[in-house]
Amino acid sequence: MKLVVLFAAVLATGVAAAADLAAGAAKAQTCVPCHGPAGISQVAETPSLAGQPDGFLQWQLVFFRTGTRKSPLMQPMAATLKDDDIRNLAAYFSAQKPPRVDPAAKADEALVAAGRKVAQGNRCTSCHKDDFSGAQATPRLAAQREDYLLKALRDFKAGRRVGGGVAAMADVVYPLVDDDLRALAHFLAHMPS
Ligand code: HEC
Ligand code: HEC
């Protein structure tokens, strides 16, 4: 119940106040050491933020701030953010160009094909969209870092990541084995955005 009220509050403020992109860009300087310049991460197990849906970014920052999503690195960061900061940061990062598939990272075609098959058999695109660009509270996955995708899938599988408490991803990964998760991460990391 409390969470529903919180969601409603974030949505309502999101509509009421226009985001300040310049303020978001200024605040985003503190994110660069981990999430990279313009939100393209060069750091292991750290996601790129560029081109993520605005709503997704806002929710995740709220989840870190309230502690429903755990991360020793992100929780202290999010704890200092006010609602305005969250709105401005999300607007800034969602307006940046999404990551490109790393041309140096060679795709293993068999693993890509295996990942595509698992994705098709588990209706990933019904929420993440056909091109895996995400929408609203559902993240972009195309060309995200492979190590981060694998970590996220394993965290959902192990119940370490619950986020908003909506069981969408827990249900999705429940029947999958670790080889499926590896294949999915490889397939998605090599999907052009
Ligand atoms: C000290 C490193 C560090 C800093 C600084 C940092 N982050 Fe993060 N961030 C991380 C890591 C690591 C994760 C992945 C957490 C996990 O394992 O689930 C993350 C995850 C996120 C996510 C979730 C994205 C997703 O795809 O699930 C968002 C949103 C985010 N950070 C926003 C920010 C913003 C905005 C700032 C600056 C105000 C910031 N971060 C600063 C390390 C950092
Ligand atoms: C019913 C809708 C739904 C389906 C189906 C679904 N997802 Fe998700 N997915 C979500 C939502 C919503 C989130 C954000 C979760 C949160 O807020 O904690 C998410 C998060 C993720 C993340 C974390 C990304 C990040 O940046 O943190 C990955 C990876 C992921 N999904 C992969 C998949 C894969 C692979 C499939 C198919 C096997 C799939 N999803 C199917 C809704 C869905």
PDB file of all heavy atoms in Angstrom, residues 105-115 146 183 186-187 190:
ATOM      1  N   ALA A 105      34.240  -6.243 -28.955  1.00  0.00           N
ATOM      2  CA  ALA A 105      33.743  -7.434 -28.267  1.00  0.00           C
ATOM      3  C   ALA A 105      33.102  -8.368 -29.284  1.00  0.00           C
ATOM      4  O   ALA A 105      31.973  -8.164 -29.717  1.00  0.00           O
ATOM      5  CB  ALA A 105      32.731  -7.037 -27.195  1.00  0.00           C
ATOM      6  N   LYS A 106      33.826  -9.381 -29.710  1.00  0.00           N
ATOM      7  CA  LYS A 106      33.328 -10.272 -30.762  1.00  0.00           C
ATOM      8  C   LYS A 106      32.176 -11.134 -30.259  1.00  0.00           C
ATOM      9  O   LYS A 106      32.211 -11.646 -29.147  1.00  0.00           O
ATOM     10  CB  LYS A 106      34.464 -11.173 -31.267  1.00  0.00           C
ATOM     11  CG  LYS A 106      35.105 -10.612 -32.541  1.00  0.00           C
ATOM     12  CD  LYS A 106      36.004 -11.627 -33.239  1.00  0.00           C
ATOM     13  CE  LYS A 106      35.256 -12.725 -33.947  1.00  0.00           C
ATOM     14  NZ  LYS A 106      34.675 -12.370 -35.242  1.00  0.00           N
ATOM     15  N   ALA A 107      31.160 -11.250 -31.094  1.00  0.00           N
ATOM     16  CA  ALA A 107      30.004 -12.059 -30.717  1.00  0.00           C
ATOM     17  C   ALA A 107      30.272 -13.530 -30.998  1.00  0.00           C
ATOM     18  O   ALA A 107      30.852 -13.880 -32.020  1.00  0.00           O
ATOM     19  CB  ALA A 107      28.777 -11.600 -31.492  1.00  0.00           C
ATOM     20  N   ASP A 108      29.855 -14.373 -30.075  1.00  0.00           N
ATOM     21  CA  ASP A 108      29.875 -15.814 -30.278  1.00  0.00           C
ATOM     22  C   ASP A 108      28.505 -16.162 -30.878  1.00  0.00           C
ATOM     23  O   ASP A 108      27.491 -16.127 -30.179  1.00  0.00           O
ATOM     24  CB  ASP A 108      30.088 -16.487 -28.912  1.00  0.00           C
ATOM     25  CG  ASP A 108      29.929 -17.999 -28.954  1.00  0.00           C
ATOM     26  OD1 ASP A 108      29.271 -18.517 -29.888  1.00  0.00           O
ATOM     27  OD2 ASP A 108      30.446 -18.661 -28.041  1.00  0.00           O
ATOM     28  N   GLU A 109      28.501 -16.447 -32.197  1.00  0.00           N
ATOM     29  CA  GLU A 109      27.215 -16.579 -32.907  1.00  0.00           C
ATOM     30  C   GLU A 109      26.322 -17.672 -32.328  1.00  0.00           C
ATOM     31  O   GLU A 109      25.099 -17.518 -32.289  1.00  0.00           O
ATOM     32  CB  GLU A 109      27.440 -16.794 -34.403  1.00  0.00           C
ATOM     33  CG  GLU A 109      27.976 -15.562 -35.142  1.00  0.00           C
ATOM     34  CD  GLU A 109      27.146 -14.282 -34.923  1.00  0.00           C
ATOM     35  OE1 GLU A 109      25.918 -14.389 -34.687  1.00  0.00           O
ATOM     36  OE2 GLU A 109      27.725 -13.178 -34.947  1.00  0.00           O
ATOM     37  N   ALA A 110      26.935 -18.750 -31.877  1.00  0.00           N
ATOM     38  CA  ALA A 110      26.127 -19.845 -31.309  1.00  0.00           C
ATOM     39  C   ALA A 110      25.439 -19.375 -30.023  1.00  0.00           C
ATOM     40  O   ALA A 110      24.264 -19.695 -29.775  1.00  0.00           O
ATOM     41  CB  ALA A 110      27.010 -21.054 -31.030  1.00  0.00           C
ATOM     42  N   LEU A 111      26.173 -18.601 -29.232  1.00  0.00           N
ATOM     43  CA  LEU A 111      25.619 -18.108 -27.972  1.00  0.00           C
ATOM     44  C   LEU A 111      24.541 -17.050 -28.228  1.00  0.00           C
ATOM     45  O   LEU A 111      23.516 -17.005 -27.536  1.00  0.00           O
ATOM     46  CB  LEU A 111      26.756 -17.531 -27.111  1.00  0.00           C
ATOM     47  CG  LEU A 111      26.528 -17.424 -25.601  1.00  0.00           C
ATOM     48  CD1 LEU A 111      26.066 -18.743 -25.003  1.00  0.00           C
ATOM     49  CD2 LEU A 111      27.809 -16.947 -24.900  1.00  0.00           C
ATOM     50  N   VAL A 112      24.770 -16.203 -29.255  1.00  0.00           N
ATOM     51  CA  VAL A 112      23.751 -15.214 -29.644  1.00  0.00           C
ATOM     52  C   VAL A 112      22.463 -15.941 -30.036  1.00  0.00           C
ATOM     53  O   VAL A 112      21.364 -15.583 -29.593  1.00  0.00           O
ATOM     54  CB  VAL A 112      24.250 -14.319 -30.807  1.00  0.00           C
ATOM     55  CG1 VAL A 112      23.100 -13.507 -31.400  1.00  0.00           C
ATOM     56  CG2 VAL A 112      25.363 -13.384 -30.329  1.00  0.00           C
ATOM     57  N   ALA A 113      22.605 -16.984 -30.859  1.00  0.00           N
ATOM     58  CA  ALA A 113      21.426 -17.737 -31.320  1.00  0.00           C
ATOM     59  C   ALA A 113      20.718 -18.406 -30.140  1.00  0.00           C
ATOM     60  O   ALA A 113      19.479 -18.404 -30.057  1.00  0.00           O
ATOM     61  CB  ALA A 113      21.846 -18.774 -32.347  1.00  0.00           C
ATOM     62  N   ALA A 114      21.499 -18.943 -29.210  1.00  0.00           N
ATOM     63  CA  ALA A 114      20.903 -19.586 -28.034  1.00  0.00           C
ATOM     64  C   ALA A 114      20.143 -18.554 -27.204  1.00  0.00           C
ATOM     65  O   ALA A 114      19.020 -18.816 -26.742  1.00  0.00           O
ATOM     66  CB  ALA A 114      21.995 -20.253 -27.189  1.00  0.00           C
ATOM     67  N   GLY A 115      20.731 -17.374 -27.051  1.00  0.00           N
ATOM     68  CA  GLY A 115      20.083 -16.310 -26.274  1.00  0.00           C
ATOM     69  C   GLY A 115      18.806 -15.835 -26.933  1.00  0.00           C
ATOM     70  O   GLY A 115      17.786 -15.611 -26.262  1.00  0.00           O
ATOM     71  N   GLU A 146      27.462  -6.599 -21.032  1.00  0.00           N
ATOM     72  CA  GLU A 146      27.134  -8.013 -20.840  1.00  0.00           C
ATOM     73  C   GLU A 146      27.311  -8.445 -19.379  1.00  0.00           C
ATOM     74  O   GLU A 146      26.474  -9.175 -18.837  1.00  0.00           O
ATOM     75  CB  GLU A 146      28.026  -8.864 -21.766  1.00  0.00           C
ATOM     76  CG  GLU A 146      27.698 -10.345 -21.689  1.00  0.00           C
ATOM     77  CD  GLU A 146      28.405 -11.159 -22.778  1.00  0.00           C
ATOM     78  OE1 GLU A 146      28.943 -10.562 -23.739  1.00  0.00           O
ATOM     79  OE2 GLU A 146      28.401 -12.395 -22.660  1.00  0.00           O
ATOM     80  N   ALA A 183      23.480 -16.886 -21.983  1.00  0.00           N
ATOM     81  CA  ALA A 183      23.129 -16.726 -23.401  1.00  0.00           C
ATOM     82  C   ALA A 183      22.335 -15.445 -23.608  1.00  0.00           C
ATOM     83  O   ALA A 183      22.583 -14.680 -24.548  1.00  0.00           O
ATOM     84  CB  ALA A 183      22.351 -17.948 -23.886  1.00  0.00           C
ATOM     85  N   HIS A 186      24.581 -12.372 -23.413  1.00  0.00           N
ATOM     86  CA  HIS A 186      25.426 -12.248 -24.603  1.00  0.00           C
ATOM     87  C   HIS A 186      24.611 -11.738 -25.795  1.00  0.00           C
ATOM     88  O   HIS A 186      25.027 -10.820 -26.504  1.00  0.00           O
ATOM     89  CB  HIS A 186      26.066 -13.604 -24.919  1.00  0.00           C
ATOM     90  CG  HIS A 186      27.179 -13.525 -25.919  1.00  0.00           C
ATOM     91  ND1 HIS A 186      28.411 -12.987 -25.617  1.00  0.00           N
ATOM     92  CD2 HIS A 186      27.244 -13.887 -27.224  1.00  0.00           C
ATOM     93  CE1 HIS A 186      29.177 -13.024 -26.695  1.00  0.00           C
ATOM     94  NE2 HIS A 186      28.499 -13.572 -27.686  1.00  0.00           N
ATOM     95  N   PHE A 187      23.442 -12.329 -25.974  1.00  0.00           N
ATOM     96  CA  PHE A 187      22.533 -11.929 -27.063  1.00  0.00           C
ATOM     97  C   PHE A 187      22.170 -10.448 -26.947  1.00  0.00           C
ATOM     98  O   PHE A 187      22.259  -9.683 -27.921  1.00  0.00           O
ATOM     99  CB  PHE A 187      21.277 -12.817 -26.984  1.00  0.00           C
ATOM    100  CG  PHE A 187      20.078 -12.307 -27.718  1.00  0.00           C
ATOM    101  CD1 PHE A 187      20.082 -12.178 -29.107  1.00  0.00           C
ATOM    102  CD2 PHE A 187      18.912 -11.985 -27.031  1.00  0.00           C
ATOM    103  CE1 PHE A 187      18.950 -11.719 -29.787  1.00  0.00           C
ATOM    104  CE2 PHE A 187      17.783 -11.527 -27.703  1.00  0.00           C
ATOM    105  CZ  PHE A 187      17.811 -11.385 -29.085  1.00  0.00           C
ATOM    106  N   HIS A 190      24.908  -7.809 -27.586  1.00  0.00           N
ATOM    107  CA  HIS A 190      25.294  -7.676 -28.994  1.00  0.00           C
ATOM    108  C   HIS A 190      24.149  -7.211 -29.879  1.00  0.00           C
ATOM    109  O   HIS A 190      24.262  -7.230 -31.106  1.00  0.00           O
ATOM    110  CB  HIS A 190      25.883  -8.995 -29.514  1.00  0.00           C
ATOM    111  CG  HIS A 190      27.250  -9.241 -28.965  1.00  0.00           C
ATOM    112  ND1 HIS A 190      27.469  -9.945 -27.802  1.00  0.00           N
ATOM    113  CD2 HIS A 190      28.459  -8.811 -29.374  1.00  0.00           C
ATOM    114  CE1 HIS A 190      28.759  -9.952 -27.534  1.00  0.00           C
ATOM    115  NE2 HIS A 190      29.389  -9.277 -28.465  1.00  0.00           N
TER     116      HIS A 190
END
